[in-house]
Amino acid sequence: MSKFGDLIDVNIPVLLDFFTEWNEQSKEMHAVLRDVAAALGDKAKVIKIDVDKNKELAEALRVKGLPTLIIYKNGEMKWRHSGEQDANTLIGIIQEYL
């Protein structure tokens, strides 16, 4: 879990995408997240976390629905959403925390 702490304890917004390869909605979010990452550049991080490979973390954060999107800044959860989002909405939400 210490690696996770290092990931989220930064002074820029970090968008975490909890997904699985077998979940259709998760797969559809990949392109959206690429657009978000491209639009924000180095102002924010976008990190995809495979729930099947990170079961302990997913359980600790109570990830139930997929995809689950969480924004952290300075180690603190700022926003959370289960289900799909479009790129413009995500970009707008992340910009609130820049």
Side-chain angles (χ1 to χ4, degrees):
M1 284 294 228
S2 64
K3 284 184 186 175
F4 179 70
D6 294 342
L7 281 179
I8 63 168
D9 198 14
V10 292
N11 64 357
I12 60 172
V14 179
L15 172 63
L16 302 178
D17 168 37
F18 288 87
F19 76 98
T20 61
E21 291 298 334
W22 48 265
N23 179 276
E24 281 304 314
Q25 289 176 312
S26 291
K27 285 198 262 186
E28 290 168 14
M29 283 299 296
H30 291 335
V32 170
L33 294 168
R34 268 195 304 272
D35 292 346
V36 170
L40 293 169
D42 59 2
K43 289 187 239 151
K45 283 187 193 175
V46 176
I47 300 172
K48 293 169 24 174
I49 299 175
D50 187 330
V51 172
D52 289 334
K53 294 176 182 164
N54 297 278
K55 285 182 169 56
E56 278 184 39
L57 178 60
E59 285 174 20
L61 293 174
R62 295 187 181 99
V63 172
K64 303 283 187 234
L66 296 173
T68 292
L69 305 166
I70 304 175
I71 296 173
Y72 280 90
K73 185 173 180 182
N74 296 321
E76 185 181 329
M77 186 185 299
K78 299 292 188 180
W79 178 86
R80 181 178 177 134
H81 177 81
S82 289
E84 296 176 78
Q85 281 283 355
D86 65 271
N88 289 334
T89 301
L90 280 174
I91 291 166
I93 293 166
I94 292 168
Q95 284 175 332
E96 291 177 29
Y97 301 108
L98 292 178

